[in-house]
Amino acid sequence: MSILPEPPYYAVIFTTVHSDNNTGYAQTAEQMEQLAATQPGYLGLESASNGSEGITISYWQDEDSIRSWKANADHKSAQQAGQNKWYKSYITRVAKVERQYSFGLED
Amino acid sequence: MSILPEPPYYAVIFTTVHSDNNTGYAQTAEQMEQLAATQPGYLGLESASNGSEGITISYWQDEDSIRSWKANADHKSAQQAGQNKWYKSYITRVAKVERQYSFGLED
């Protein structure tokens, strides 16, 4: 939660509505979080869900690192499985973080 | 969840860590969601939480509408209460949505 690089950087906002089929979802989601963290330009990730609705935000240094992650073969396979099985619908938004404020963080 | 205006528009990403004091929180959060929805330039809101960590994203037409909402008197009072009582820490990020993809939406 205390991911706070200096702007500008990028946020990929992934909001999802899950289907009734969660077979294999948790394992793949965990694998994708771990894989994302090894990619060039990765800055951090925040995730939360309310029942069938979820929000995952990943943070990236620049547009190139987002494009590379989107094209990663294992990630593409997971995206396909997400469309086939786990998600009823989703929206992916690519947004440039221009400024930020924080309260109560140590640093 | 199916909030999908045409980019560019703005996202305010509000990630929070709650304190142990939730007195009055739910009521104020509900009031602020309703009040935000009446503000000029408001486009929508998505919210989810995992235990003490929360993510709320509000969407806005432009920077001016974000600044006006930030300065709203009732909202400022709620922000102050949040710092005094409900939040251990938070980060507010203002980000410009540049592009988006969706899957499975009716529209």
Side-chain angles (χ1 to χ4, degrees):
Chain A
M1 191 60 70
S2 53
I3 305 155
L4 212 50
E6 200 62 32
Y9 57 96
Y10 280 81
V12 177
I13 304 169
F14 182 53
T15 50
T16 61
V17 179
H18 280 253
S19 71
D20 296 332
N21 181 355
N22 281 325
T23 307
Y25 169 73
Q27 189 186 357
T28 300
E30 172 73 19
Q31 285 172 347
M32 287 306 113
E33 288 199 17
Q34 290 178 5
L35 184 61
T38 68
Q39 302 302 301
Y42 172 89
L43 299 174
L45 186 141
E46 294 167 337
S47 190
S49 63
N50 278 347
S52 68
E53 302 201 341
I55 302 174
T56 297
I57 309 172
S58 56
Y59 297 99
W60 302 88
Q61 196 59 64
D62 50 38
E63 293 248 40
D64 279 351
S65 48
I66 294 170
R67 291 206 174 86
S68 297
W69 171 233
K70 190 183 180 204
N72 175 284
D74 290 340
H75 187 203
K76 282 182 88 77
S77 164
Q79 289 168 45
Q80 195 57 56
Q83 292 193 358
N84 292 343
K85 294 192 288 189
W86 302 313
Y87 299 124
K88 191 180 293 181
S89 63
Y90 63 72
I91 301 171
T92 304
R93 296 175 169 95
V94 178
K96 184 180 190 175
V97 178
E98 297 182 341
R99 52 201 169 85
Q100 60 196 9
Y101 317 93
S102 69
F103 165 74
L105 293 183
E106 296 290 325
D107 47 348
Chain B
M1 191 62 69
S2 54
I3 306 154
L4 212 52
E6 201 61 33
Y9 58 95
Y10 280 82
V12 177
I13 303 168
F14 183 53
T15 50
T16 61
V17 179
H18 280 253
S19 72
D20 296 332
N21 182 353
N22 283 324
T23 307
Y25 169 74
Q27 189 186 357
T28 300
E30 172 73 20
Q31 286 173 346
M32 287 305 112
E33 289 199 17
Q34 290 178 6
L35 184 60
T38 69
Q39 303 303 302
Y42 172 89
L43 298 175
L45 187 140
E46 294 166 337
S47 191
S49 62
N50 278 347
S52 68
E53 303 201 340
I55 302 175
T56 297
I57 308 173
S58 56
Y59 297 100
W60 301 88
Q61 196 60 63
D62 51 38
E63 292 248 39
D64 280 351
S65 48
I66 294 171
R67 290 206 175 83
S68 297
W69 170 234
K70 190 183 181 202
N72 175 283
D74 290 339
H75 186 204
K76 283 181 86 78
S77 165
Q79 290 168 44
Q80 195 58 58
Q83 293 192 357
N84 293 343
K85 294 191 289 189
W86 302 314
Y87 298 124
K88 192 180 292 182
S89 63
Y90 63 72
I91 301 172
T92 304
R93 296 176 169 95
V94 178
K96 184 181 192 177
V97 178
E98 298 182 342
R99 52 201 170 85
Q100 61 197 9
Y101 317 93
S102 70
F103 165 75
L105 292 183
E106 294 291 323
D107 67 336

